[in-house]
Amino acid sequence: MASEREKFQKADLTRQKILDVSLTLFQKQGYERATMRAIAQAAGLAPGAAYYHFETKEHIIFDFYQRSFNDHLPGVEKVLSTEKDLKRRLAGVVRMHMEVAKPYHEISKVLFQTAINPDHPLSPFSKESGPLREKNIDIFRRVVEESSTPVPEKLRGKLPEILWLFKMGIILYWIYDKSPDQRKTFRFIEESSALIAKLVALSRLPGIQGFSERILAMFHKYKTF
Amino acid sequence: MASEREKFQKADLTRQKILDVSLTLFQKQGYERATMRAIAQAAGLAPGAAYYHFETKEHIIFDFYQRSFNDHLPGVEKVLSTEKDLKRRLAGVVRMHMEVAKPYHEISKVLFQTAINPDHPLSPFSKESGPLREKNIDIFRRVVEESSTPVPEKLRGKLPEILWLFKMGIILYWIYDKSPDQRKTFRFIEESSALIAKLVALSRLPGIQGFSERILAMFHKYKTF
């Protein structure tokens, strides 16, 4: 008789298999057009078996996002334990995400068409994306809090969310990036992280302080997540 | 016999009719799924007649964009001739665009799904969108050049494109805006325009100057249009 552990491993392999064939199918047909039935068939499963693992197509993609998140964690931990400087911590964790995403540039373009719909669960701003979004924001909390770069008190609380939004902007840029291996995106991460760190430092100057507090207030007032 | 003028007017009415039924059809079926054949049928035309007016679905939407652009010009002219302050000129021209777009919020969400595809002609960054993009950037050139707010020489050349990108950001925010009549977007235009004007003013300070030149250089290096 199969042990609990063996059963779990088998289920995980099946989930991985479903994920793999789904991505291929989404690439070919687009996300909206591919059906759960077609996914099950491509994975060599009865439709019921596919639904047992994933209630909906969205669940498959959330699993994909979660796996990508898990895959980038070792790199993130390394950056957070070795880098103290805000610029390098920020650039490091964003770079780790994009490194893991590299093999998925084409499929990301496809999924993006759906995720960009503000009413869709796959939107990064949706209620359904909330748990993974929070885990991501927590990483930026650590980027800020354990950094050697002094961050003004008033900025400290909101900065993690702003930096997460910055990462969303980087992903948008990456989707549009047509340079070989999206090398432009990686350079952009370095330069824009340096710029943000500089902006955080500048925000302590008396002439700038009021300005930076105004940006924070606006961010809080108009954010959509 | 119909005069040239009558012929032109009749053609324009037919184009308007095709545009109207297209928008209804795109709303119902999505942009990708609606065919030129279905559009012709809904407009009560033979397919050939529809193709005579618009080679492709994209041409219909470009016509829609061009009409919206034309519709917002009187408002723009009024703003540019009465307002001298950079903040008010900027907020004014962007507001005029969003006023004209108001009745099209729902259909814009649908078109957005296609326009956000970086490889699609309908993307605002595409080669095909180039002529209309340039006309839009020209408006921001006038926003900057005839303003009473002093704009540093180095900023002057690039600022119009940056302000156009700002308008693209506003449209993105508007698409996502769930507040009644997208009122949040209109408040956001006012506040963010004030912030940008303030930033332009700040950019003349010695401590900030290098920073602002760095942003400009990055913009030039990484822009995708």
Side-chain angles (χ1 to χ4, degrees):
Chain A
M1 219 177 97
S3 72
E4 277 307 309
R5 197 181 153 180
E6 281 166 339
K7 266 195 242 169
F8 181 80
Q9 284 176 334
K10 190 160 170 262
D12 196 56
L13 279 176
T14 309
R15 289 171 71 91
Q16 180 70 58
K17 171 87 183 158
I18 295 174
L19 177 56
D20 290 344
V21 302
S22 300
L23 295 185
T24 309
L25 215 62
F26 295 156
Q27 185 80 62
K28 242 190 280 179
Q29 310 190 337
Y31 176 79
E32 306 294 345
R33 243 186 301 171
T35 62
M36 274 298 271
R37 178 169 290 273
I39 292 166
Q41 195 176 18
L45 294 168
Y51 281 114
Y52 169 80
H53 291 286
F54 297 105
E55 267 178 76
T56 67
K57 282 193 289 181
E58 278 90 67
H59 288 81
I60 300 178
I61 298 303
F62 280 129
D63 191 60
F64 171 54
Y65 287 163
Q66 182 65 55
R67 281 171 196 256
S68 303
F69 178 82
N70 294 346
D71 288 350
H72 99 305
L73 280 184
V76 163
E77 289 304 332
K78 200 171 162 204
V79 167
L80 293 182
S81 63
T82 56
E83 305 291 0
K84 287 297 149 201
D85 178 62
L86 181 62
K87 183 229 140 180
R88 294 170 70 96
R89 290 169 75 81
L90 176 58
V93 303
V94 175
R95 194 174 53 238
M96 286 309 152
H97 183 110
M98 303 326 290
E99 291 284 358
V100 164
K102 250 182 189 172
Y104 304 105
H105 190 245
E106 282 307 311
I107 185 69
S108 294
K109 281 200 217 172
V110 174
L111 294 177
F112 175 62
Q113 311 271 333
T114 298
I116 199 71
N117 178 347
D119 300 324
H120 201 281
L122 288 187
S123 157
F125 304 103
S126 75
K127 198 174 126 285
E128 291 85 347
S129 295
L132 194 53
R133 183 171 63 237
E134 285 308 317
K135 282 193 214 173
N136 269 295
I137 293 174
D138 277 343
I139 290 178
F140 291 106
R141 204 158 277 133
R142 289 174 59 199
V143 164
V144 174
E145 282 174 8
E146 297 152 23
S147 155
S148 63
T149 307
V151 177
E153 195 52 49
K154 290 199 175 166
L155 198 55
R156 201 168 270 270
K158 279 289 152 210
L159 196 54
E161 286 187 356
I162 295 177
L163 297 180
W164 173 78
L165 200 61
F166 162 66
K167 190 171 91 170
M168 292 299 108
I170 293 289
I171 294 174
L172 188 66
Y173 188 83
W174 175 75
I175 297 262
Y176 278 77
D177 189 353
K178 291 191 165 85
S179 65
D181 292 323
Q182 296 81 51
R183 264 176 248 152
K184 251 181 136 172
T185 298
F186 287 90
R187 288 199 301 268
F188 188 49
I189 291 170
E190 299 303 314
E191 290 191 40
S192 50
S193 297
L195 210 65
I196 289 176
K198 176 87 182 162
L199 201 57
V200 169
L202 279 177
S203 73
R204 301 167 71 209
L205 298 179
I208 313 296
Q209 217 176 323
F211 183 71
S212 111
E213 281 164 24
R214 218 163 117 192
I215 295 184
L216 281 184
M218 269 186 68
F219 176 78
H220 188 70
K221 190 164 160 193
Y222 291 106
K223 71 176 190 155
T224 53
F225 58 93
Chain B
M1 221 178 95
S3 72
E4 278 306 308
R5 196 180 153 179
E6 280 167 341
K7 265 195 240 167
F8 182 81
Q9 283 177 335
K10 188 159 172 264
D12 196 56
L13 278 175
T14 309
R15 288 172 72 91
Q16 180 71 57
K17 170 88 183 159
I18 295 173
L19 176 57
D20 289 345
V21 303
S22 299
L23 294 184
T24 310
L25 215 62
F26 296 155
Q27 184 83 60
K28 242 191 277 178
Q29 308 190 339
Y31 175 78
E32 305 294 344
R33 245 186 300 172
T35 62
M36 274 297 272
R37 177 170 289 272
I39 291 167
Q41 195 176 19
L45 294 168
Y51 281 113
Y52 170 80
H53 291 286
F54 297 104
E55 265 177 78
T56 67
K57 281 193 289 180
E58 278 89 67
H59 287 81
I60 300 178
I61 298 303
F62 280 129
D63 191 61
F64 171 54
Y65 288 162
Q66 182 65 55
R67 281 171 195 257
S68 303
F69 178 82
N70 295 346
D71 288 349
H72 100 305
L73 280 184
V76 163
E77 288 304 332
K78 197 169 166 207
V79 167
L80 292 183
S81 64
T82 54
E83 305 289 1
K84 287 295 150 203
D85 178 63
L86 181 61
K87 184 227 137 180
R88 294 171 69 97
R89 288 169 76 81
L90 175 58
V93 302
V94 176
R95 194 175 53 237
M96 285 309 151
H97 183 111
M98 302 326 290
E99 291 283 0
V100 165
K102 250 183 189 172
Y104 304 104
H105 190 246
E106 282 306 312
I107 187 68
S108 295
K109 281 199 216 174
V110 174
L111 295 176
F112 175 62
Q113 311 272 332
T114 297
I116 199 70
N117 178 347
D119 300 325
H120 201 281
L122 288 187
S123 158
F125 303 103
S126 75
K127 196 175 127 285
E128 290 86 347
S129 296
L132 194 52
R133 182 170 65 237
E134 284 309 316
K135 283 194 213 170
N136 269 294
I137 293 173
D138 277 343
I139 290 178
F140 291 106
R141 204 157 278 134
R142 289 174 59 199
V143 164
V144 173
E145 282 174 8
E146 298 151 23
S147 155
S148 63
T149 307
V151 177
E153 195 51 50
K154 290 198 175 170
L155 198 54
R156 202 168 269 270
K158 278 289 151 210
L159 196 53
E161 287 187 354
I162 295 178
L163 297 181
W164 173 77
L165 200 61
F166 162 67
K167 189 170 92 169
M168 292 298 109
I170 292 289
I171 293 174
L172 188 66
Y173 188 84
W174 176 74
I175 297 262
Y176 278 77
D177 188 353
K178 291 191 165 83
S179 66
D181 291 323
Q182 296 81 51
R183 262 176 250 152
K184 252 181 135 172
T185 299
F186 287 89
R187 288 199 302 268
F188 188 49
I189 291 171
E190 299 303 315
E191 290 191 39
S192 50
S193 297
L195 210 64
I196 289 176
K198 175 87 182 162
L199 201 57
V200 169
L202 279 177
S203 72
R204 303 167 70 209
L205 298 180
I208 312 296
Q209 216 177 323
F211 184 71
S212 111
E213 281 165 23
R214 219 164 115 192
I215 294 183
L216 281 184
M218 269 186 68
F219 176 77
H220 188 70
K221 191 165 159 192
Y222 291 108
K223 71 175 190 154
T224 54
F225 57 94

